[in-house]
Amino acid sequence: QLIEDLRKQLEHLQLFKLEAEQRRGRSSSMGLQEYNSRTRETELEQEIKQLKQDNRNLKEQNDELNGQIINLSIQGAKNLFSASFSESLAAEISSVSRDELMEAIQKQEEINFRLQDYIDRIIVAIMETNPSILEVK
């Protein structure tokens, strides 16, 4: 009978020990999960900081490129304008007929219209993307 009682106590102790180990295993796995989630959170925060910095850099580059586009557009318009008047107007008028002169004027009007349309589209695009470029300082 004593042996039977001791055997039952041993079984109870073994069950108790198993339960305690399982609880300890759960808590250590909970600690591990918490550690992993904190580590992941820190990694994500670092990634967010890096992405924000990259975003700022890209915005600055975009502003610089928009400025370059404007400068190139202005230079292109100046070149187009100066190229069309490279010859002397008086010499051109004296050497052409009235019909040719009217045709040349119409071509110039068409070029002027296209340039104005082009400039208008550039200004609208700038106003949509970065209107601060157009501010007079």
Side-chain angles (χ1 to χ4, degrees):
Q1 175 128 17
L2 182 60
I3 293 174
E4 186 64 30
D5 287 342
L6 289 174
R7 189 176 57 76
K8 286 182 182 179
Q9 285 181 358
L10 180 62
E11 285 176 4
H12 284 293
L13 288 173
Q14 286 175 341
L15 284 174
F16 181 74
K17 180 181 174 185
L18 275 173
E19 289 174 358
E21 286 176 357
Q22 286 177 348
R23 282 191 209 119
R24 202 173 331 128
R26 282 190 202 134
S27 68
S28 68
S29 82
M30 292 279 279
L32 182 61
Q33 286 175 352
E34 187 175 322
Y35 172 77
N36 287 339
S37 66
R38 285 184 185 165
T39 304
R40 182 70 178 141
E41 183 180 343
T42 304
E43 290 172 356
L44 290 174
E45 286 174 355
Q46 290 296 327
E47 187 176 350
I48 288 171
K49 287 179 185 177
Q50 182 62 40
L51 290 173
K52 284 182 179 180
Q53 182 62 40
D54 291 348
N55 193 21
R56 277 192 291 273
N57 292 340
L58 289 173
K59 283 182 181 179
E60 289 173 6
Q61 288 177 354
N62 192 21
D63 290 345
E64 290 174 15
L65 290 173
N66 282 335
Q68 289 176 4
I69 288 172
I70 291 171
N71 287 335
L72 290 173
S73 298
I74 291 171
Q75 288 175 356
K78 285 180 181 178
N79 290 340
L80 184 62
F81 185 73
S82 66
S84 65
F85 287 98
S86 61
E87 295 181 16
S88 167
L89 186 60
E92 189 177 337
I93 290 174
S94 66
S95 66
V96 296
S97 69
R98 179 170 164 51
D99 291 337
E100 290 173 334
L101 188 58
M102 291 305 289
E103 186 179 329
I105 289 173
Q106 287 176 346
K107 285 182 182 178
Q108 280 300 315
E109 286 176 347
E110 184 180 335
I111 289 171
N112 288 345
F113 176 75
R114 285 190 293 178
L115 279 174
Q116 184 62 46
D117 184 51
Y118 178 70
I119 290 170
D120 289 344
R121 284 187 280 135
I122 289 174
I123 290 173
V124 167
I126 291 170
M127 289 173 59
E128 289 174 353
T129 57
N130 193 358
S132 65
I133 291 175
L134 297 175
E135 290 179 8
V136 178
K137 295 180 182 178

